[in-house]
């Protein structure tokens, strides 16, 4: 009995998007590609090694302007599709170089080549990137690998004496020390024994947090902190997991991981948090309630004083159906992006959302229709990549 | 359950150094040398006591009449039971099989049962109704590495030494005779397979040892168990993962294994002959002694 | 009994019309499950298996207590490779139910786990676990080989660092152990019928080296024929590796085209600067 | 902060004291100057009264419900036909076993080898907290079934003759010398040439189910087994040569009672020692230490005692017959105490005999 | 071919803390003792060591009767071990039956449900020897024996260490164990007997288990007149003396 | 066996009071294998040879075998199981609860300078606390002097398991005269360079530049122990080993 499994959606008919800086690359790649294999045509080779170490920078330039630039040169890139040389991808066990001038980075290992010379060999399927003399392989896809400064969404899985263990979709659980959170009563407050005793009152198993990676252990484990108003317990919204920056689409590091989006059909403002680790939180936007007397002197400290009261509540506020609907719609957008292998960042989500609203209008039951799966999803993606 | 003991970092490092730099084993054996193998038979038929260095195994064969499986009415039933008790090591729990136990029983299964060493058709008494169920219980008394080879040897020895009660069929009535009525009869035996296990050490498993003891087993990076009979027939090969080893090396291992198997084979034959002689001589005496017991108690 | 495969000697063609050294059609995909960290689907002839990999990830508190059996989990310095195999009832002609404790399946699981652990760089993921779960949809011989290949692909897809592909296939010999003719030809990649009637073995190698990670022979055969079978098997593994590698590359290139990944330095660009 | 727990003293309410430190609690009760008694109010040698109801189950061939204090057991006996062809190791009985002296032992083999008596004990009914439903049988359950099983055989309670189903074929001679003897015992007026064949056996499935559990399970269980067996009636069964099967008559009056030999009664006690934890005393000191023998212990007492003794006696005959002694877990009960205890058991026998009327 | 006098070898299993192989009257049993070792939570006791006894038949899987034997041995052995010295730990005793006396006149089933008194002394004695070889601190040693009451033509006679055939014909069967302080540690009887018979049995068993030459010079001791069965306590002692001697050869 | 017939005792046997040493001032000291039951009973708990030392008014049972039971002051060789916040868990023998070794219980150890030990490494330590109700505690420093006296981490080398009795003999002040062990000396005389550390828990650590030497020492120790060799036999054994290893 022949059984078939649908391969993940691919856009044979869709041209790939290109970011501005690729143009410049193409020139170079022309020069280079001739020297390698004849059949290689300008395929948007990114020789910009720097790009890989400063991902944010590239995306800033990329994400922002991609839209306008992408569609201008469809004909050209169409030709380029089937012509990306095999060498663009390295696979496990493949020798990258035996040239001793290079140093091995992530995703590579040293294997003994002929007569005792060491070869830098790939241990992953991915693309070779280099920083000065450091060669590494970025996997096509992998679990999230934390970096200091990442904004992540996580789930508390274990409560220990002085710290929480948090699932951030990495290979190991991250640690959130009790000392690294804002305690009610302001940042200046000292940590006390009682705090340790009632540690569960801050975060308990299953709670969701948005936090920042503060430091890394040798073995790659991450230590988080929530010492800022932006961070802390998550309420009033919906959680979803898409693949993270380990590679292969999903959430990418970009200018803003967190923003408030003014939703259509009077859904009101909605917060979107794209955790770099691929965990996403979409929730109703709640203004910090600032009582009258505080209005006068707006000192950040006593603002916190006030806010911190509600900081660790697990109670949802009242959420209007409209808002819920729009939250659902945004969620649909993100899912659609991922299913169609598009990158997930502020720009794409915002544009996607607007598209989705449009789609809803033309559909039978108007704005109530939030369905964005299957066909609709493809439509949406198409709309985003085409004019 | 209590934790299994791991050798210390120092011991691991030292053992490897000794093997790879100096080509010596801690007990001074050659790389392809077995620990002294000893086999003794009990008073009853089908009990084999095997010791391989500090590894000690007891195998007991037994048989009783039962109903054959529906799907194989013409075959008898043959089972090899290998349950590791805390006697082998405190971390083994009764009726909670560990991976060690599963792999061991699979190896014996493939080596002895699936290779057709025992003629199961000869165990059928009344097609679809009655047959012999032959069972070998493998008891690990002391675990100092290389259970497989020792256990396999013990099983084969026990089965070849075993005698099952004699039977007769007359007008549809099956009679199973007691030892007193008729001398029990041996099993239908076709060939004697033996296991030889190689252990590999080092980055690329370049160093190979025969009959690793427990310490060596804890440090090895891969192992292969080759089962052969003296006619040079492979009954089973199992290299179940572990560090990859050069194909050529495996071929060499196999040819060495064959010579070892031939040694096992002859050793077992001698022992069986020896035991047979003993019984034959003691036959009368035994009767006498048995009598005494009954009177004196 | 007369063997169907005995016809071989006449036309030098096997029951399914292959020559002695031909692989069956191998079809494979990766990234078949969006939810998993890595996944694959693989067909070798009519043997069809799918694989899902999750991890490396650290087991939560409660599970952490129970793990540690497979020489990993908990506090270990290396990641534990936990393999779970489910054989569908409809996968073979006679539907036999296999229980949890089925020793044969346990053996397969441990074999695959040990084979991959030797290639995967588990030392990079202390006290975490890599969960590999395999589903057998259809069996027509070379099951273990198919499972290993599928698992390897899924691990590559999951982006778990490894020394090289672990590629597997089977090899056999054209006449039964009884017939002790030296003239017996080796056969590559056996189907179910051949496995039933002829001696054979499963071999898995690391990358395109001659280094054997797995060698399993479960049938009686003259020792003299081992070398031939092993040689053919090892060669077969190299072919299989090429096929798996192609699958991965094509997927990767597709992803570049889709823009989900941006291109890096081509290999040969290295020499430029 | 947790309040500091005051040292256990009699200022506690009795139940609290009992929960906190059962051993001293029982001890203080037993050493109470005015009326020394057990926590359950019984005197050391006082057993709980027995209540027996029989044939309360419709579908069982025999049944009984036994209650002693809060320990309640239901026992059902069900008889099923087992054709000899279904017994793998069945073997026509040899002439040598026909002789009288051997006969008994031969019978025992018959019952044992063909498993004609199958007791089974179910404790996991939620009858007591320590037995969780849905888990493999506890050691206690396994031990109990072993004890019941072997007592059934060692007491020769059931006569195997009553379990055999014979068939006498119409005129034709077969070489079955073995049967002549038994046949003589079976039916009187038999012509010589018609040789009956043993075609099948009755198998008795004896299922015990604990409804509630408050210590001393064995005595209750055994009493229930005996009562149920004495209540058991087997239907008339004959071999139908055409159908090659055994057929039973439905008629009630055709049923005949199983013949059960004697009335063995089990009597259990535990030994309660003065000291609980703390240092092991030396041999000599131990002999000096005080102890009480508690008859028919309840759950609390069982949990506090290590040494137990069970004696099975049958006083049906003129002389008291001891059927079984089981004593382990301590060194208090020696020869004299054992003698004395057998006396106690005789007393218990009377009680049970009364109850089973 | 039953051994007429008991034989024992200690520390037969090199990797266990202590072990013994004991054979007598057709029974051969090997025992290993490990402990005190860390107890699993389920059998951890705050005040004393848990004595874990496992009985494994030579053929077939252990069933209810093995559980029963384990229960009897466990409760008796924990009486002579200084369990209070090792709280929260377990002392693990595994008893492997190697061979049992064959009865040439019957083919017995593999798995038997009824309790198996005659094997108890062999198991018990092996366990005690193994405990001693493992140097597990004990209050006392103990010895055990089995006797049968056989009726030959009317008059009852007591047979020590009966053969299977005797047992088939016996009217009652008794197992008794005594501590080295002559206390009755274990008494299991089945069959059909009177109090008077049991008294006889008791005396006989006590003779076998308890009486021995003066402890100071255990080597030369007087065997009691009827050599029907040996003096277990003396046997125990001489076995241990040889062990100690070989252990302390350097003294 | 020895000339004067040694007095072998079994658990629970009564010891002839005449044997119990008495002294006006210093009290009776009971060694291993004996327990005192008030008022005046002294009972052996293991099978062994009763040894009475009238000068020191002490008595104990000399025996071999069994599992190591920690007792205060013992020198042991332990294996680091894992590290907690301020102490190491150390395994003394398989399947027994780990002992604890404070991070600061090393010579001149401070939060900064304390030795970093990974799991699987070995330490030579002294049992500083042992009682039935607590897991044992260890130290690698003499708390009074603050000196290590040879205690601390053991680098490289090899560990060999020996019987407890043999370990005790090796640890005797005059192991040669009292313990009758001469292998080590004999090996030394053969010009082999090696160092040893003996753990009461039946472990001997052997360090040497040459792997061969270490192996040889190990085998010599094991055989002497297992075969129960006398002084002469030990010397023979050493000769033999040296011959076959060179």
């Amino acid at each position: 009995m022949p059984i078939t499994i649908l391969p993940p959606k691919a856009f044979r008919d869709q041209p790939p998007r290109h970011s501005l800086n690729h143009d410049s690359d193409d020139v170079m790649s022309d020069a280079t590609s001739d020297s390698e294999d004849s059949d290689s045509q300008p395929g948007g080779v990114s020789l910009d090694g720097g790009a890989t170490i400063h991902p944010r920078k590239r995306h800033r330039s990329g994400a922002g302007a991609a839209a306008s630039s992408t569609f201008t040169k469809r004909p050209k890139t169409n030709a380029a599709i089937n012509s990306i040389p095999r060498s663009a991808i390295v696979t496990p066990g493949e020798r990258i170089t035996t040239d001793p001038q290079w140093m091995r980075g992530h995703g590579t290992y040293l294997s003994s080549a002929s007569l005792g010379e060491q070869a830098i060999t790939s241990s992953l399927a991915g693309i070779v990137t280099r920083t000065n003399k450091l060669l590494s392989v970025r996997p096509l896809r992998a679990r999230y690998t934390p970096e200091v400064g990442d904004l992540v969404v996580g789930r508390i899985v274990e409560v220990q004496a002085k710290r929480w263990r948090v699932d951030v979709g990495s290979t190991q659980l991250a640690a959130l020390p009790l000392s690294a959170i804002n305690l009610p009563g302001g940042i200046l407050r000292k940590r006390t024994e009682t705090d340790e005793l009632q540690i569960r009152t801050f975060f308990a198993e299953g709670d969701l947090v948005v936090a920042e990676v503060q430091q890394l252990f040798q073995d790659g484990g991450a230590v988080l902190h929530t010492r800022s108003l932006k961070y802390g317990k998550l309420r009033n919204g919906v959680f979803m997991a898409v693949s993270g920056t380990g590679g292969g689409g999903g959430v990418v590091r970009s200018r803003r991981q967190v923003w408030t989006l003014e939703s259509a059909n009077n859904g009101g403002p909605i917060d979107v948090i794209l955790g770099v680790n691929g965990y996403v939180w979409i929730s109703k936007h709640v203004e910090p309630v600032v009582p009258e007397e505080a209005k006068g002197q707006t000192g950040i400290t006593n603002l916190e004083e006030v806010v911190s009261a509600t900081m660790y509540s697990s109670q949802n506020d009242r959420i209007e159906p409209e808002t819920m609907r729009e939250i659902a719609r945004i969620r649909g957008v993100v899912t659609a992006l991922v299913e169609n292998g598009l990158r997930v960042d502020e720009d794409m989500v915002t544009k996607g959302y607007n598209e989705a609203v449009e789609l809803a209008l033309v559909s039978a039951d108007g704005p109530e229709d939030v369905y964005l799966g299957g066909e609709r999803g493809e439509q949406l993606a198409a709309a985003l990549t085409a004019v | 359950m209590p934790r299994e003991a791991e050798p210390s970092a120092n011991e691991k490092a030292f053992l490897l150094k000794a093997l790879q730099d100096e080509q010596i084993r801690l007990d001074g054996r050659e790389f392809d040398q077995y620990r002294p193998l000893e086999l003794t038979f009990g008073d009853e038929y089908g009990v084999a006591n095997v010791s391989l260095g500090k590894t000690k195994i007891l195998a007991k064969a037994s048989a009783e009449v039962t109903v054959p499986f529906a799907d194989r009415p013409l075959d008898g039933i043959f089972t090899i039971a290998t349950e590791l008790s805390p006697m082998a090591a405190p971390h083994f729990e009764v009726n909670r099989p560990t991976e060690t136990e599963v792999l061991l029983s699979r190896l014996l299964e493939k080596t002895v049962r699936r290779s057709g060493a025992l003629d199961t058709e000869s165990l059928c008494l009344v097609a679809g109704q009655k047959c012999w169920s032959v069972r070998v219980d493998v008891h690990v008394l002391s675990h100092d590495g290389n259970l497989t080879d020792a256990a396999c040897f013990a099983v084969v020895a026990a089965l070849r030494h075993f005698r099952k009660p004699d039977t007769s069929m007359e007008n549809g009535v099956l009679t199973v005779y007691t030892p007193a009525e008729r001398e029990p009869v041996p099993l239908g035996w076709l060939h004697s397979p033996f296991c030889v296990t190689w252990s590999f050490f080092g980055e690329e498993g370049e160093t190979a040892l025969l009959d690793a003891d427990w310490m060596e087993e804890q440090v090895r990076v891969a192992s292969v168990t080759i089962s052969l009979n003296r006619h040079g027939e492979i009954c089973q090969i199992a290299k179940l993962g572990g560090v990859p080893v050069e194909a050529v090396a495996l071929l060499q291992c196999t040819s060495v294994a064959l010579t070892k198997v031939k040694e096992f084979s002859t050793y077992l034959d001698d022992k069986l002959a020896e035991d047979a002689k003993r019984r034959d001589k003691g036959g009368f005496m035994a009767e006498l002694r048995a009598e005494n017991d009954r009177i004196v108690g | 009994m007369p063997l169907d495969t005995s016809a071989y000697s006449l036309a030098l063609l096997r029951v399914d019309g292959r020559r002695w050294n031909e692989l069956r059609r191998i079809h494979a995909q990766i990234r078949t499950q969006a939810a998993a960290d890595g996944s694959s689907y693989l067909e070798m002839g009519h043997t069809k298996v799918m694989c899902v990999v999750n991890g490396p990830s650290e087991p939560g508190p409660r599970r952490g207590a129970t793990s540690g059996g497979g020489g990993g989990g908990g506090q270990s310095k290396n990641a534990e490779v936990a393999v779970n195999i489910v054989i569908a009832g409809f996968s073979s002609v006679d539907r036999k139910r296999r229980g949890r404790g089925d020793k044969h399946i346990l053996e397969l699981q441990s074999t695959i786990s040990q084979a991959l652990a030797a290639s995967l760089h588990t030392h990079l993921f202390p006290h975490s676990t890599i969960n590999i779960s395999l589903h057998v949809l259809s069996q027509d011989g070379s099951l273990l080989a198919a499972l290993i290949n599928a698992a390897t692909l899924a691990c590559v897809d999951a982006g778990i660092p490894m020394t090289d592909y672990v590629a597997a296939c089977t090899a056999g010999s054209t006449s039964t152990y009884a017939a002790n003719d030296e003239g017996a030809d080796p056969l590559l990649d056996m189907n179910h019928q051949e496995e039933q009637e002829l001696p054979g073995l499963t071999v898995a190698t690391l990358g395109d080296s001659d280094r054997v990670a797995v060698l399993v022979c479960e049938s009686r055969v003259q020792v003299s024929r081992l070398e031939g079978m092993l040689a053919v098997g090892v060669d077969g593994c190299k072919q299989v590796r090429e096929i798996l590698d192609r699958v991965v590359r094509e997927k990767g290139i597709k992803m570049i085209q889709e823009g989900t990944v941006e291109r890096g330095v081509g290999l040969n660009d290295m020499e430029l600067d | 902060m947790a309040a500091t727990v005051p040292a256990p003293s009699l200022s506690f309410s009795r139940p609290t004291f009992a929960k906190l430190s059962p051993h001293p609690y029982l001890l203080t009760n037993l050493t109470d100057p005015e009326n020394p008694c057990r926590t359950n109010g019984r005197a050391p040698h006082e057993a709980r009264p027995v209540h027996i109801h029989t044939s309360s189950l419709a579908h069982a061939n025999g049944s009984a419900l036994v209650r002693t204090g809060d320990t309640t057991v239901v026992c059902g006996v069900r008889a099923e036909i087992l054709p000899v062809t279904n017994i793998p190791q069945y073997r026509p009985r040899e002439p040598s076993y026909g002789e009288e002296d051997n006969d008994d032992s031969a019978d025992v083999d018959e019952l044992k080898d063909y498993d004609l008596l199958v007791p089974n004990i179910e404790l996991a009914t939620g009858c007591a907290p320590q037995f969780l439903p849905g888990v493999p049988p506890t050691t206690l359950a396994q031990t109990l079934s072993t004890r019941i099983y072997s007592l059934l055989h060692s007491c020769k309670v059931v006569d195997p003759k009553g379990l055999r189903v014979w068939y006498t074929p119409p005129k034709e001679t077969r070489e079955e010398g073995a049967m002549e003897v038994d046949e003589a015992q079976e039916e009187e007026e038999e012509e010589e040439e018609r040789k009956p064949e043993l075609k099948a056996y009755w198998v008795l499935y004896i299922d015990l189910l604990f409804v509630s559990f408050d210590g001393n399970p064995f005595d209750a269980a055994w009493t229930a087994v005996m009562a149920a067996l004495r209540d058991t009636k087997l239907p008339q069964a004959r071999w139908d040569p055409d159908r090659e099967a055994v057929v039973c008559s439905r008629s009630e009056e055709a049923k005949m009672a199983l013949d059960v030999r004697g009335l063995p009664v089990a009597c259990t006690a535990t030994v309660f020692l003065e000291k609980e934890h703390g240092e092991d005393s030396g041999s000599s000191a131990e002999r000096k230490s005080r102890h009480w023998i508690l008859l028919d212990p309840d759950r609390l007492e069982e949990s506090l005692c290590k040494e137990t003794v069970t004696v099975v006696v049958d006083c049906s005959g003129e002389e008291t017959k001891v059927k079984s002694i089981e004593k382990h877990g301590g060194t208090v009960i020696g020869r004299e105490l054992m003698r004395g205890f057998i006396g106690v058991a005789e007393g218990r026998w009377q009680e049970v005999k009364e109850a089973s009327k | 071919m039953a051994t007429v006098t008991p034989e024992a070898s200690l520390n037969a299993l090199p990797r266990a803390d202590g072990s013994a192989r004991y054979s007598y009257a057709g029974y051969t049993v090997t025992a290993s003792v490990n402990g005190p070792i860390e107890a699993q939570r389920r059998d951890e006791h705050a005040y004393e060591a848990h004595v874990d006894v496992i009985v494994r038949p030579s053929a077939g899987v252990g069933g209810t009767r093995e559980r029963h034997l384990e229960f009897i041995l466990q409760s008796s052995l924990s009486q002579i071990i200084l369990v209070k010295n090792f709280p929260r730990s377990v002392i693990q005793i595994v008893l492997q039956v190697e061979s049992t006396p064959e009865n040439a006149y019957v083919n017995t089933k593999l798995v038997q449900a009824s309790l198996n008194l005659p094997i108890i002394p062999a198991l018990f004695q092996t366990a005690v020897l193994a405990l001693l070889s493992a140097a597990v601190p004990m209050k006392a040693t103990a010895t055990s024996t089995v006797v049968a009451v056989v009726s030959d033509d009317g008059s009852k006679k007591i047979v020590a260490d009966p053969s299977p055939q005797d047992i088939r014909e016996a009217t009652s069967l008794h197992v008794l164990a005594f501590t080295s302080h002559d206390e009755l540690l274990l008494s299991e009887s089945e069959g059909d007997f009177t109090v008077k018979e049991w008294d006889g049995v008791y005396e006989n068993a006590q003779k076998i288990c308890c009486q021995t030459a003066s402890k100071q010079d255990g080597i030369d001791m007087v065997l009691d007149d009827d050599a029907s069965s040996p003096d277990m306590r003396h046997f125990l002692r001489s076995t241990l003396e040889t062990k100690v001697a070989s252990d302390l050869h350097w003294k | 066996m020895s000339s004067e017939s040694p007095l072998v005792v079994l658990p629970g046997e009564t010891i002839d009071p005449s044997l119990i040493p008495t002294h006006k001032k210093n009290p009776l000291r009971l060694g291993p294998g004996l327990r005192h039951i008030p008022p005046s009973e002294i009972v052996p708990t293991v099978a062994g040879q009763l040894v009475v030392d009238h000068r020191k008014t002490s008595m104990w049972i000399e025996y071999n075998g069994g599992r190591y039971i920690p007792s205060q002051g013992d020198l042991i060789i332990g294996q680091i199981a894992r590290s907690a916040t301020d102490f190491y868990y150390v395994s003394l023998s398989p399947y027994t609860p780990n002992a604890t070794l404070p991070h600061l219980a090393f010579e001149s150890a401070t939060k900064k300078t304390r030795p970093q030990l990974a799991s699987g490494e070995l330490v030579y330590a002294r049992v500083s606390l042992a009682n039935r109700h607590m897991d044992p505690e260890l130290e690698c420093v003499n708390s009074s002097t603050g000196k290590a006296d040879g205690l601390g981490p053991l680098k490289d080398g090899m560990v060999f398991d020996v019987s407890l009795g043999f370990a005790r003999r090796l640890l005797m002040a005059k192991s040669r005269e009292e313990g009758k062990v001469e292998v080590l000396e004999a090996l030394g005389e053969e010009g082999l360079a090696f160092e040893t550390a003996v753990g009461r828990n039946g472990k001997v650590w052997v360090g040497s530049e040459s792997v061969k030497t270490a192996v040889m020492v190990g085998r010599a120790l094991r055989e002497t122990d297992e075969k129960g060799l006398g002084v002469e036999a030990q010397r023979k054994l050493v000769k033999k080993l040296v011959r076959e290893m060179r």
Side-chain angles (χ1 to χ4, degrees), chain D residues 283, chain E residues 138-141 180-181, chain F residues 10-15 41 43-46:
Chain D
S283 48
Chain E
M138 297 200 285
K139 272 187 229 165
T141 58
S180 48
H181 307 120
Chain F
L10 297 189
E13 289 183 350
T14 39
I15 295 171
E41 226 181 327
V43 188
T45 61
V46 297

Side-chain angles (χ1 to χ4, degrees), chain C residues 205-224:
Chain C
T205 60
L206 182 68
D208 50 12
S209 72
D210 285 352
R211 295 177 54 208
V212 177
V214 175
L215 175 59
V216 177
C217 168
E218 301 193 335
S219 47
R220 251 168 105 178
V221 58
Q222 280 296 329
V223 73
S224 54

Side-chain angles (χ1 to χ4, degrees), chain F residues 101-117:
Chain F
L101 170 61
H103 283 166
L104 299 183
F106 293 87
E107 181 172 324
S108 62
T110 66
K111 274 260 169 278
K112 303 268 171 301
T113 67
R114 66 183 179 82
Q116 299 287 347
L117 299 176

